[in-house]
Amino acid sequence: MTEVERQNYDVVVIGAGGAGLRAAIEARQRGLTTAVICKSLFGKAHTVMAEGGCAASMGNVNSNDSWQVHFRDTMRGGKFLNNWRMAELHAMEAPDRVWELETYGALFDRTEDGRISQRNFGGHTYPRLAHVGDRTGLELIRTMQQKIVSLQQEDKAEFGDYEAKLKVFQECTITELLKDDSGAISGAFGYWRESGRFVLFETGAVIMATGGIGKSFQVTSNSWEYTGDGHALAMRAGASLINMEFVQFHPTGMVWPPSVKGILVTEGVRGDGGVLKNSEGKRFMFDYVPDVFKGQYAETEEEADRWYTDPDNNRRTPDLLPRDEVARAINTEVKEGRGSPHGGVYLDIASRMPAEEIKRRLPSMYHQFKELADVDITAEPMEVGPTCHYVMGGIEVDPDTGESTVPGLFAAGECSGGMHGSNRLGGNSLSDLLVFGRRAGLGAANYVESLERKPVVLQSDIDTAARAAVSPFEPSESEGARENPYTLQHELQQTMNELVGIIRTADEIERALGRLAEIRARVRNVVVEGHRQFNPGWHLAIDLRNMMVVSEAVAKAALLRTESRGGHTRDDFPMLDSDWRNKLLVCRASGDDAVVPDVSVERKDQVPMRQDLLELFELSELEKYYTEAELTTHPAAQGDTA
Amino acid sequence: MSSYQGQFRVWRGDSDGGSLEDFEVEVNEGEVVLDIIHRLQATQTPDLAVRWNCKAGKCGSCSAEVNGRPRLLCMTRMSLFEKDEVITVTPMRSFSIVRDLVTDVSYNYEKAREVQAFTPPGKLQPGEYRMQQEDVQRSQEFRKCIECFLCQDTCHVVRDHEENKLAFSGPRFLMRIAELEMHPLDAADRRDTAQDDHGLGYCNITKCCTEVCPENIKITDNALIPMKERVAGRRYDPVVWLGNKLFKRGK
Ligand SMILES: Cc1cc2nc3c(=O)[nH]c(=O)nc-3n(C[C@H](O)[C@H](O)[C@H](O)COP(=O)(O)OP(=O)(O)OC[C@H]3O[C@@H](n4cnc5c(N)ncnc54)[C@H](O)[C@@H]3O)c2cc1C
Ligand code: SF4
Ligand code: SF4
Ligand code: FES
């Protein structure tokens, strides 16, 4: 029988990024005891890296903005595969969530009249992103971290203990979700990174807010934390994932020097006036406006340049097309020999505005290039290329409550799926975290309060989870060679990058699945050295299992979807296919390996969009995405509309 | 530039003690010290403990000391050193060791929790906040802080004086108090607590904290000195009085 430290909470939030913190604030404000668990130190989650801003149609800079316009932009960006209810809730509630942050102490950049300033970003019709220079994520996470402190101070005043109701467990990794015999969530099992000792959280409700999966790709803007733990744990607990084939490659990552390859260059550079050029000095994006966006973007450089100052009478620059379009365009330019010396293209802001202006608007970009690449972005262009950035796919949830298909398991933020469809617009993640973090907090609170009795953790489950966690220290005698987790991770990343990356073919994906199967067999033979105290090799050995499962989900779904849409581009099926638009690919765990299960994928139809939302679009636009049969209810399709 | 073999001495051990260990390891063009630590993990010492997340100077996780100077490992370029130079990497000295380069930074989280939170102005509803850019700018400078705790590590008040930790919150959290004091809409007065509960008086403005801050925040000049001036009482000092007028407009 395994001895473990036991903790008992009404609600357990796994993840201390924007989504997790917002969820925890909500659950605690409902009076429930709440635990927040994170792999890193408190305040270091991925959200801290977000640069450009947080989208909300406050209309502070252009009063024509409204939630309906934001909704439309989000659906277009996702190529109409989005869960429309999530897109609706998100667009409607984002402004309130941003204003709320000001009451927690956030200090966004201001407009002339003292309101929150908003900036342009790809795919957003109006300036919409609340921001603080290019460190918006830091502001978000610090603000919520400080709100948590503020709630803890209230608890200290009332109960004499800062941690009476809300406690952060940092550097603690959850490896398993536990369920009672009715199939409802009963707890979460993990280890303290510092000591390697096990800890059990007994709880009726778990909110997953673990972020993304980008570490499974070699070139990525994501950190070591992004091993898809939430995705994998949820799947193993019986939840379904959707949209896993859609992975966002951000068009502008650093490409040189090699050690920083993949680090993000914010879209804010283009939002504020930076333009993409190829080795011939040409602004190539004008050649890449796809049919579905024809007429919505400027056709000449002159018009594009006028748009920055006179957006009402000019169309925006195609440099600000949705990310999938820009990333593919850069890919093509490089492939056709018009790239920069280190295999990217140029991003030029130096020739577009005075040096001082650049330093003021984009201080951390200036700093980042100066310190890491010896490039002065106020004097010379940056070299940039696509980098794996965000996963649209995630845990399938109820839009209103965030509940997954497993009772008691909720999800919010990047690890949940549906909101962004096939492609996320920049700035829509930070707002997603706030809107759905809060909703998941409420959903979990309601669920816990409705439980008649608290689900019970089975001792046998604890024992199994503990055995699985320490197995890398105890190599099995018989099977193959001892494997090094770092080597396997590298091979996995290479496989995903090369064969299931930005441009895919059936042949390559099949090869990837072959290699993944081989890596999976070797993952069992991973052996780690040393002891359990803060041992990164051991941590990686455990994370690797999750990366395996998630990579398989991505590859298998990518193979099935025989069309190109958003963050899924098939060279062998290059067109958008209307018959695929309302199809979701649902991934589930299968097979008898409990730790690294097989993944099965099924098709499922989405619920058709509500009529009033459908009518927010012109028929002529919908026709580019929908089948004719789906549009018969649109007023314009019913012949003469009275 | 081609690759070369770099000479490293890395502190290894835990709370029971440890020592510097020598390594020879490949270094490539454009790399930072954190890349080298990662290469050590992948090739020689898989269990070498280090904290990191963003690898881009944004999260403040990878703090340590390189040749005795507090630095972010991910922002310390190898080109800073001669090829034949021995580079010594040690954990932050002011905090107790967990393992290898990882230290126990809980002191900072405890101090953070003791700073009275933002106190919203009673009458304003969400969405009604109006502030001018020039008024938020000063606090925004402090909010650039990535909580790397290098300033906390370097400040001599605690660096060799563990006993001062009780009374002294360190530059990072004194700056947090200044940030709230300068917030155009914060409703609390933090002058007494800065002095009495957070030990502002211990600071003798040596500026060592400012020197190591990777965000180049002027901690001493822009946060600590103005805060000291406010605490000292503004009545008799015309310079301070003027400073205060600029310091917190319209409050
Ligand atoms: C460089 C960069 C820039 C970006 N810029 C923008 C932008 O400008 N605008 C925008 O909208 N979006 C942006 N994004 C995307 C956005 O930042 C992320 O999608 C978002 O922050 C994810 O937030 P989250 O709360 O879902 O997860 P995260 O903030 O990633 O937090 C995940 C948390 O889960 C914890 N965790 C994970 N696994 C476990 C486990 N097994 N046990 C315990 N804890 C665990 C982690 O420790 C962490 O605390 C950017 C992303 C990157 C990488
Ligand atoms: S200026 Fe003050 S806080 Fe900063 S290092 Fe010197 S004594 Fe410490
Ligand atoms: S003030 Fe500077 S040195 Fe101190 S914790 Fe913040 S970023 Fe680090
Ligand atoms: S790893 Fe984030 S600051 Fe160095």
Side-chain angles (χ1 to χ4, degrees), chain A residues 411-472:
Chain A
E414 191 168 340
C415 72
S416 70
M419 157 70 205
H420 306 285
S422 67
N423 174 53
R424 171 178 73 90
L425 293 185
N428 266 2
S429 172
L430 294 184
S431 41
D432 164 1
L433 309 181
L434 300 172
V435 168
F436 295 104
R438 171 178 164 277
R439 283 188 163 269
L442 281 175
N446 288 337
Y447 171 84
V448 168
E449 284 169 359
S450 74
L451 284 179
E452 278 168 22
R453 55 177 187 91
K454 196 161 181 169
V456 183
V457 174
L458 307 174
Q459 181 63 40
S460 57
D461 287 345
I462 303 175
D463 295 338
T464 312
R467 263 200 309 279
V470 294
S471 66

Side-chain angles (χ1 to χ4, degrees), chain B residues 11-22:
Chain B
W11 197 90
R12 300 216 60 193
D14 55 27
S15 51
D16 299 332
S19 61
L20 287 167
E21 284 180 23
D22 290 316

Side-chain angles (χ1 to χ4, degrees), chain B residues 228-243:
Chain B
K228 276 174 170 286
E229 287 168 346
R230 281 180 71 81
V231 169
R234 334 161 236 177
R235 210 163 296 158
Y236 307 109
D237 186 340
V239 180
V240 174
W241 178 83
L242 187 66

Side-chain angles (χ1 to χ4, degrees), chain A residues 90-310:
Chain A
H90 168 258
M92 289 176 81
E93 294 176 4
D96 285 338
R97 297 288 81 76
V98 172
W99 284 321
E100 192 169 66
L101 291 181
E102 285 197 305
T103 70
Y104 300 173
L107 284 175
F108 292 102
D109 286 349
R110 317 306 295 181
T111 60
E112 289 285 318
D113 63 353
R115 294 191 272 184
I116 296 173
S117 176
Q118 300 186 267
R119 71 157 43 116
N120 282 306
F121 236 55
H124 292 281
T125 302
Y126 298 114
R128 189 177 283 147
L129 271 65
H131 59 274
V132 188
D134 50 8
R135 57 158 191 87
T136 314
L138 171 64
E139 186 67 17
L140 230 83
I141 205 158
R142 200 67 80 230
T143 298
M144 285 195 275
Q145 194 179 344
Q146 288 162 350
K147 175 65 180 177
I148 288 200
V149 161
S150 152
L151 293 169
Q152 289 180 325
Q153 289 175 351
E154 286 175 23
D155 292 340
K156 163 96 170 161
E158 194 177 340
F159 308 103
D161 176 7
Y162 285 115
E163 291 171 342
K165 293 236 142 199
L166 176 55
K167 181 165 173 168
V168 180
F169 295 81
Q170 54 181 1
E171 300 199 308
C172 181
T173 303
I174 297 300
T175 60
E176 206 76 63
L177 296 178
L178 309 176
K179 298 192 293 183
D180 71 358
D181 34 20
S182 78
I185 289 292
S186 61
F189 177 92
Y191 63 89
W192 290 103
R193 282 159 52 80
E194 186 176 321
S195 63
R197 281 203 294 273
F198 294 133
V199 50
L200 171 70
F201 293 86
E202 293 173 286
T203 182
V206 165
I207 301 175
M208 277 292 174
T210 51
I213 66 160
K215 209 58 200 170
S216 293
F217 292 79
Q218 197 171 21
V219 179
T220 176
S221 65
N222 295 171
S223 83
W224 69 268
E225 292 200 310
Y226 266 24
T227 48
D229 295 5
H231 290 77
L233 264 57
M235 244 205 292
R236 270 156 47 194
S240 47
L241 307 187
I242 54 170
N243 297 347
M244 290 305 289
E245 65 276 33
F246 299 111
V247 177
Q248 180 167 80
F249 290 83
H250 194 290
T252 60
M254 291 176 82
V255 296
W256 195 91
S259 79
V260 300
K261 191 165 180 171
I263 290 181
L264 192 75
V265 180
T266 175
E267 190 166 313
V269 176
R270 282 170 289 139
D272 284 1
V275 295
L276 292 163
K277 293 178 179 169
N278 63 19
S279 60
E280 295 159 4
K282 182 174 177 200
R283 285 177 63 177
F284 56 85
M285 281 311 299
F286 289 93
D287 301 338
Y288 290 92
V289 182
D291 281 344
V292 287
F293 291 118
K294 279 266 152 53
Q296 296 177 24
Y297 286 80
E299 278 156 38
T300 63
E301 294 187 16
E302 292 71 31
E303 180 181 0
D305 286 348
R306 282 196 307 267
W307 167 79
Y308 290 101
T309 48
D310 181 11

